[in-house]
């Protein structure tokens, strides 16, 4: 059996997340309060000022709750996983589990990432359901719209697009004619696209101040859909910001391991559902192993 821990990203947050975990790990909560400058428990459990849906607050909160889920997973007797992976923000929890950095360093990373990403506005995102990635790309090309990027290859039947909101809406009739549904996402920014390049540049400068440790568990990268090398952590985290999340290929890579067993550690079951979809549509993995 190959044990695989996966961590969800932005969009999985919900008021009340982590309610059974904060009291178990008070040191983590104290560290989060000190670094962030506000009470993390209050934000996650009550959200009295309705900030949890704002990127600059979502990312540190979700990173903290994902970390608590992982710590509880181990404390309850689970073994250290054989592989880890995370979707977008969740990749930071995968790297934390692999000991690339400690909790405080990881929290400072996502605090900066969230602040940079939250400061960008304009554009939007939409999920295309019921068409595979090849068909999605063909429809975009046939429509003659060159301003839209693929943000997330989430599942065989789910691809998320980023770009100008008007152009995403212009694509809707073309996708509907192709038998797909288009669901606009509740975001005001075109994440994981060319429109995040300034954020990637600024984050790269911040990462120059961070020292990463050798990984103790293989981490699958969103950017390459392959295991990280120790010398490419900063590069992959920068590229992740303005490139596609290759979740389908990442899961396909892991499904090629002997008897893979996935456990999602975080609020909700978004990744569990995506993995189920990918399992039901087997596709040959055509990316070479590195080791």
């Amino acid at each position: 059996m190959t044990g695989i821990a996966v961590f969800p990203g932005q969009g999985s947050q919900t008021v009340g997340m982590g309610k059974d975990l904060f009291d178990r790990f008070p040191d983590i909560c104290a560290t989060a309060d000190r670094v962030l400058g506000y009470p993390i428990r209050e934000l996650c459990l009550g959200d009295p000022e309705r900030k949890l849906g704002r990127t600059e607050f979502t990312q540190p909160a979700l990173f903290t709750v994902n970390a608590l889920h992982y710590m509880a997973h181990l404390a309850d007797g689970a073994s250290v996983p054989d592989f880890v992976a995370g979707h977008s923000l969740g990749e930071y929890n995968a790297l934390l589990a692999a000991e690339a950095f400690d909790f405080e360093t990881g929290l400072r990373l996502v605090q900066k990432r969230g602040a940079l990403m939250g400061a960008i506005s304009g554009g939007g995102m939409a999920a295309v359901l019921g068409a595979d990635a090849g068909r999605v790309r063909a429809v975009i090309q046939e429509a003659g719209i060159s301003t839209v990027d693929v943000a997330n290859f989430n599942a065989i039947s789910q691809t998320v697009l980023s770009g100008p909101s008007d152009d995403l809406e212009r694509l809707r009739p073309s996708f509907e004619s192709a038998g797909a549904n288009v669901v606009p996402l509740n975001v005001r920014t075109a994440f994981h696209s060319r429109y995040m390049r300034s954020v990637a540049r600024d984050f790269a400068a911040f990462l120059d101040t961070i020292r990463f440790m050798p990984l103790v568990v293989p981490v699958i990268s969103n950017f390459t859909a392959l295991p990280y090398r120790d010398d490419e952590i900063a590069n992959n985290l920068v590229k992740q910001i303005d490139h596609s999340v290759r979740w389908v290929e990442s899961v396909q890579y892991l499904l090629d391991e002997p008897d893979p067993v996935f456990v999602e550690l975080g609020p909700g079951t978004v990744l569990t559902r995506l993995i189920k979809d990918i399992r039901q549509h087997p596709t040959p993995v055509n990316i070479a192993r590195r080791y």
Side-chain angles (χ1 to χ4, degrees):
M1 183 186 81
T2 303
I4 303 163
V6 295
F7 301 91
Q10 193 164 342
S12 291
Q13 72 277 2
T14 183
V15 176
M17 63 181 186
K19 64 181 180 179
D20 298 324
L21 300 172
F22 287 107
D23 287 339
R24 293 185 64 180
F25 304 100
D27 290 348
I28 291 294
C29 300
T31 298
D33 290 353
R34 173 173 53 81
V35 171
L36 299 174
Y38 53 81
I40 191 68
R41 179 198 296 260
E42 180 179 280
L43 174 65
C44 293
L45 300 187
D47 192 22
E49 299 179 29
R50 300 194 176 185
K51 293 180 176 179
L52 189 58
R54 290 167 48 185
T55 296
E56 62 269 35
F57 292 95
T58 304
Q59 295 195 13
L62 189 57
F63 174 80
T64 299
V65 171
N66 284 353
L68 292 175
H69 274 276
Y70 182 68
M71 294 174 67
H73 181 66
L74 296 182
D76 291 343
S79 300
V80 173
D82 299 301
F83 287 85
V84 290
H87 189 287
S88 191
L89 182 277
E91 188 162 292
Y92 288 78
N93 288 101
L95 289 165
L96 174 65
E99 300 182 16
F101 41 70
D102 60 17
F103 173 76
E104 180 171 338
T105 301
L107 185 60
R108 292 186 185 280
L109 287 171
V110 300
Q111 180 186 38
K112 182 66 171 181
R113 181 181 187 266
L116 291 171
M117 294 174 75
I120 299 292
S121 62
M125 302 178 75
V128 180
L129 310 176
D132 64 28
R135 185 62 184 140
V136 168
R137 284 170 158 163
V139 168
I140 295 172
Q141 185 173 10
E142 290 164 7
I145 294 178
S146 61
T147 55
V148 170
D149 294 339
V150 174
N152 305 337
F153 295 96
N154 277 347
I156 303 302
S157 58
Q158 183 188 128
T159 302
V160 176
L161 306 180
S162 279
S165 298
D166 289 346
D167 290 342
L168 291 171
E169 187 60 31
R170 284 172 57 204
L171 280 167
R172 181 192 294 272
S174 297
F175 280 117
E176 291 176 346
S177 296
N181 294 321
V182 178
V183 180
L185 303 186
N186 186 26
V187 297
R188 296 175 296 170
T189 308
F191 294 134
H192 297 295
S193 74
R194 74 188 84 171
Y195 304 102
M196 301 299 291
R197 284 175 183 161
S198 64
V199 172
R201 287 194 297 269
D202 291 343
F203 194 57
F206 178 74
L207 288 183
D208 283 343
T209 67
I210 304 298
R211 178 172 177 261
F212 296 102
M213 303 301 291
L215 303 176
V216 301
V217 176
V219 180
I220 306 302
S221 164
N222 286 183
F223 173 57
T224 65
L226 291 167
Y228 269 85
R229 293 192 302 250
D230 288 340
D231 63 354
E232 64 184 9
I233 296 174
N235 177 73
N236 284 1
L237 291 180
V238 171
K239 294 295 187 182
Q240 186 214 61
I241 289 176
D242 61 353
H243 286 74
S244 305
V245 173
R246 296 167 62 181
W247 188 249
V248 171
E249 291 171 273
S250 298
V251 172
Q252 288 173 343
Y253 182 97
L254 291 166
L255 287 173
D256 202 38
E257 292 296 321
D259 189 18
V261 176
F262 293 84
V263 57
E264 183 170 358
L265 298 174
T269 57
V270 170
L271 298 185
T272 299
R273 296 196 300 272
L274 295 180
I275 292 167
K276 181 179 179 180
D277 180 270
I278 296 166
R279 279 184 183 272
Q280 291 174 342
H281 299 85
T283 302
V285 179
N286 50 20
I287 45 181
R289 290 184 180 274
R290 281 184 174 164
Y291 67 92

